Amino acid sequence: MALGALLGPLYGGGFWVALRQLAAVYYLAGFVLHYVAPRMFPVRTVQVAQPRKGQVAWEATYSIGALLVKAGVWTIVEQLYASGRSKLYTGWPPTAQQAGYMVLSIVALDYLHDAWFYWTHRLLHWKPLYRHIHAMHHQSTAPTPFAGYSFHVVEAVIVFANEVLVCFLFPIHLGLHRVYHLFTTIIHEGGHAGYEIAPFIPSVESLVALLLLGRRPCAALNTVRHHDMHHRYPPYHFSLYMTHWDRWCGTEHPKYRSDVSQHFMEADSSSKAAAAGAAAARQSSRDPSTPMQPAAAPAPSRATVAWFGPRPAAGIRAGPLAKPWCIQAAAGSSHSSSPGSSDAAAAAAAGAARHSPAAAAMAAAHPPPLMKPEGASNILPIRELNEFRRGVGLCIYRRDGLVFAARRLDDPQGSWQMPQGGIDPLENPMRAALRELHEETSIQSARIVASIDHWLEYTFPTRVREPGSILKYRGQTQKWFLLEFSGSDDEIDIAGCSHPEFSEFGWRPLDSLPAGVVHFKQGVYSQVAAHFGPEIARRCGAAVRMRA
């Protein structure tokens, strides 16, 4: 009763009642989808990046304008009913015939809402409107549920205008109108959640598909991935509920179908493996004399395995040491290792290499390939949200093959390391590398010549909170670049930046740096040495031959 008094009547209460209802549903649903559900259920992300620092806060703030507009639209709808200028009606409870009509009207609203959303969405991608209005929404390249209404007030007027127009098309119960559009508020948030809630966006049509198809995706209905791909590829995927407009108009991304099929195929395999493990555990608990046997993992299909380096030689067992070269697609839950399932094997092998000379030797003998800057992969692997801070690492070498290293000011043990730094919001990793190069060393005479294809990461001994942030990071995930230095030491100024990080610098052999860096970075430095060491030797040898 207290909640009902706070939120007011379902309709007829005016602007402030409508705004209270909207805000309560919007922010509560966003909180549940972003903070509660991923920690209670084994969700699997569909995103290839993670939300930026402070993104939830500014998305929630930007949503206030859209909520004000939508509350105003509902007030107009109430006035239309009061003045008798629309086809809205009231009365409760409905007869069986009226209830059947309401279900049909929901289907009609779904179709009209989807059509309106598709064509107005394409209009908002017209260059003048996109630049001044819709670009605000696309600041969220890896959206959170609070991006649902995080858009310009002009866009809100365009998007919500259909809620007025439908009042003149066919009879709609005034209460149904309010409940339906409260539910679409949750739909907008769920479509930005970053993980699949069901095989499709919830609607009457999806309920029918769920009864007929079970957990299999339906080609006619959108998934969360559908709109999430729109944030990565803006020229594609403009619809909300259904896929037919995008298919008919050629705006469906070519990889969408295969990605959806693979996602749910892997989810099904993961569920079966988990069920097998649970069954084995139950059997073991019933019969203590029987040792527990680990459940056999499903054999990865050809579509879920990609080799990024030389395969193990014949006779070598593909165990943990071979895992860095076999990156398996994500098939785990929110409890998977920090880099996500796509590179969990690489992270496990990197940890093993820190403690095993044999593993380190194997990593040095078979490093994953270098990738030139023109084709460098700058996409962050799938991982748990807000767990690892994005950054870049810089391996700077000169013509004699030695590498730049500097002593940290904030480390009482005086450890030496190569320059590194964070990536700013919307910043390309390569640009971040050049910015950090100048900020930390003042070097100008250097160019990027190569990069490591995948991201490397390390875990802090304890979670670290950055100044001005509410997030506590488990560690860093870094994109490493190799830079060729062609200048002299005179241009290096480690004390001239606004926030000096080093007390002195020098040039050292790359393979000596892992032993001198702080212990929790040694695994990453071993991988960097294994990747860049041969490349530096090759380049310096070629330079010597050219001079000769």
Side-chain angles (χ1 to χ4, degrees), residues 174-228:
L174 186 57
L176 176 64
H177 183 282
R178 175 67 58 89
V179 171
Y180 177 82
H181 289 292
L182 274 173
F183 184 67
T184 62
T185 299
I186 303 176
I187 293 295
H188 277 266
E189 292 185 284
H192 294 86
Y195 56 86
E196 296 291 0
I197 303 169
F200 15 70
I201 298 295
S203 62
V204 171
E205 298 79 11
S206 66
L207 179 61
V208 174
L210 191 63
L211 294 174
L212 296 177
L213 301 176
R215 287 279 301 173
R216 287 180 295 166
C218 176
L221 300 175
N222 286 351
T223 62
V224 172
R225 181 185 293 272
H226 189 276
H227 189 73
D228 194 85

Side-chain angles (χ1 to χ4, degrees), residues 26 50 60 154 174 180 185 203 249 264 377 410 433 438 499 507 534:
Y26 184 80
Q50 59 182 345
V154 175
L174 186 57
Y180 177 82
T185 299
S203 62
C249 299
F264 285 101
S377 172
D410 58 359
H438 181 67
H499 300 286
W507 297 90

